[in-house]
Amino acid sequence: MTVNDTHLFMLRAHLGGEDEAVRRTYARITDPIAMCGLAELVFQAFLIAARRKFSPTWNHAQVISFVARLRAALCERPELLDPITAELELCRALGEDVNASPDVGATATARLILLDALIESLNLDDEAIWDLLLQARKNALRHYGENA
């Protein structure tokens, strides 16, 4: 699996609300396996952001409240975010041993939506977002070796 510059660009564009840039880049990717690198980058960025938001101490009430506020913001499209999956993914990111969601799509969507919300709640500027993404890429490299 590779986490490359295209993945960094796509995620940065997504986080910046540059939907057209994301669509153009996505259209150029012909290998579905290449998207695994993007999924890993999202996951690693989500882990970092969740830990920055909730660590060193956190509780389930904070997680539930965060997800509830996020779902309220998505009230016109509540089907986008499964609340149980979102809560489980946040708890997992914070180190709790939880059972995996059987729905891979719901898990991936939850991570991406939560990442957006976490970055917004942390009030990260462009430079801080870029630093977070570079750290996420480093973490992926460490986790999967030099081919990530």
Side-chain angles (χ1 to χ4, degrees):
M1 171 185 13
T2 299
V3 176
N4 59 37
D5 291 342
T6 300
H7 300 130
L8 284 169
F9 173 78
M10 281 183 69
L11 186 52
R12 180 63 195 104
H14 167 78
L15 294 171
E18 300 170 29
D19 297 334
E20 185 56 36
V22 173
R23 280 191 284 281
R24 280 193 315 269
T25 305
Y26 183 77
R28 292 193 317 244
I29 299 174
T30 57
D31 180 8
I33 294 181
M35 293 308 290
C36 291
L38 179 60
E40 182 60 25
L41 182 63
V42 168
F43 177 63
Q44 293 296 332
F46 164 66
L47 290 177
I48 293 166
R51 291 171 183 162
R52 285 185 187 175
K53 172 71 178 173
F54 291 100
S55 290
T57 61
W58 66 277
N59 60 53
H60 286 108
Q62 292 171 314
V63 168
I64 292 166
S65 178
F66 185 83
V67 171
R69 284 191 309 275
L70 179 54
R71 291 210 7 121
L74 298 171
C75 66
E76 292 183 20
R77 302 224 21 229
E79 74 282 358
L80 285 178
L81 183 65
D82 175 64
I84 302 300
T85 301
E87 290 168 11
L88 287 174
E89 285 304 304
L90 270 175
C91 289
R92 180 191 334 271
L94 297 169
E96 188 170 296
D97 187 23
V98 297
N99 291 328
S101 171
D103 188 333
V104 174
T107 298
T109 300
R111 288 175 181 169
L112 187 58
I113 291 172
L114 286 165
L115 175 60
D116 283 335
L118 289 163
I119 285 177
E120 183 177 321
S121 74
L122 291 167
N123 296 316
L124 300 181
D125 63 15
D126 287 340
E127 185 177 338
I129 292 170
W130 187 244
D131 288 343
L132 185 144
L133 295 179
L134 292 176
Q135 182 61 51
R137 185 179 189 177
K138 279 186 199 174
N139 290 357
L141 288 168
R142 212 174 15 239
H143 189 257
Y144 284 99
E146 291 304 313
N147 292 326

